[in-house]
Amino acid sequence: MGKTFDIGLESLTAGPLPANRRSALAMPSGPAVRGTFFLETFGCQMNDHDSEKVAGVLMSRGYRQVESADTAGLILYNTCSIREKAAQKVFSRLGEYRTKQAQGQVIGVLGCVAQQEGEDIFERAPWVSLVCGSASYSKLPELLAQVEAGNQRVTGLETDTDATFETEMTRRDNPWRAYLTIIEGCDKACSYCVVPYTRGPERSRASNSILREVRQVAELGYSEVQLLGQTVNSYADPTSRKMRFSELLLAVADEPGIRRVRFTTSHPKDFTQHIVDAMDAQPKLCNHVHLPAQSGSTRVLRAMQRTYTREEYLEKIAMIRGARRPISITTDIIVGFPGETEADLAETLSLLDDVKYDAIFAFKYSPRPHTPSLSMNDAIPEEEKSRRLALLQEKQREIQMERHAGFIGMAFEVLVSTKSRKENHWSGHTTCHRVINFTSQETALLGKYVQVRVTGMTPNSLVGEHA
Ligand code: 5AD
Ligand code: SF4
């Protein structure tokens, strides 16, 4: 198992990079420069973090990251296929690079689309030399060696059943919050979801390796860690220590220098009282749980193969609400699943009323290849899906307005992560994962924890001033 450490972003860039950023390193213009790479990422936090690790693997082999594809020796796309027709997007992007191979540039496709489309990519875009799925990243150094040797069709498409992607070096994009994967793949079988196919079976990382990486990031000055996994709370320590997920959370929080611990995404089925007890015992565990419901209708949940009923989901919510401090709860919802009726939709709307989520991420159902629901009848027309999505979002907007209004006058601790272009304006996240935009007369607040008093709000964020 590889040693994992971080080279520290501070030495590479000043301040945080915008959300969809990659490197901010200067790049000479001109012909392709050997030993440089450009990496573009689409998708979720897992994908973002995979890219941080891929960048680390490349940098440990002497590559330098650049911000333009024009002159990079190696152009990589790390792609997500969970909802969108990402494959189309990738092929149109690849089309733009048709001439690059002739100019000596090497093009590679990584991630879920690579896994999904496999060697077909070489047929449709013969100028691509590397296709590596997210379940084969542990082989990346080997595959890169083949690319470096001039091999024109290098693939990593096996779904490794036990390897986890651990790197000698991770090139992190955010200087204060470190992502750490603790579990890869997924053993659930939600009927709409392509992840078990693209990311392979569940593989938990050894607890001692996770804790070693936490220590390393803490030594480099990171104070917030976010533990990642498609079903993060299904974590099953493969070592003889057999740490429970809740024990791992406590152990991470105990590492010197760590001030905030987040984890995402939790699966309701594996959400236990132990997790709430750990949150009660350790305030460094952030006041936030992301618990995707997907639907409020037991009938739809069954068709989705989510393995819980509405009532069982609500029991988990009650468990979290039973904590000694207020924990914010967010969720994912899919509208327009095949066969979803008006009555099903009404149940999802009433779930929002029952739970009063702090935020929701709502999506229109999108049929994905290799999924069981692909062949289901009673598809919902696109316009109808849009109507349902709008209804859900409108209801949630009202809930958030009401909730945010209740915060006015309260003070929150904020980890300052952005300096606005407007003078004296900053923003950051509370422990409950709300964004607060605030004013302060102080300078050099980036990366610091400050108390902010809420003076105003919008449906999606709070406004305040440094207390
Ligand atoms: N269609 C729409 N939304 C989906 N998600 C996953 N697969 C699909 C799909 N086929 C959503 C789920 C999941 C989130 C990451 O993406 O809500 O929790
Ligand atoms: Fe997909 Fe379900 Fe696994 Fe989440 S739990 S990644 S929705 S199969």
Side-chain angles (χ1 to χ4, degrees), residues 186 188 190 192-193 195-196 230-231 267 306:
C186 182
K188 306 282 190 264
C190 305
Y192 52 82
C193 186
V195 167
Q230 304 291 342
T231 55
H267 192 284
R306 283 293 287 178

Side-chain angles (χ1 to χ4, degrees), residues 434-445:
R434 280 198 179 77
V435 174
I436 299 197
N437 299 304
F438 68 98
T439 51
S440 171
Q441 300 311 316
E442 282 186 36
T443 53
L445 285 182

Side-chain angles (χ1 to χ4, degrees), residues 247-260:
E247 291 168 334
L248 179 71
L249 288 177
L250 292 172
V252 170
D254 271 348
E255 289 296 341
I258 297 303
R259 192 151 164 183
R260 284 184 173 181

Side-chain angles (χ1 to χ4, degrees), residues 44 82-83 192-194 230 265 290 292 294 306 332-334 361 363-368 371 373:
C44 63
I82 197 157
R83 285 179 300 269
Y192 52 82
C193 186
V194 76
Q230 304 291 342
T265 291
H290 183 61
Q294 311 297 1
R306 283 293 287 178
D332 292 343
I333 302 277
I334 298 175
F361 301 87
F363 311 105
K364 292 190 273 185
Y365 168 73
S366 141
R368 309 309 301 128
T371 59
S373 62

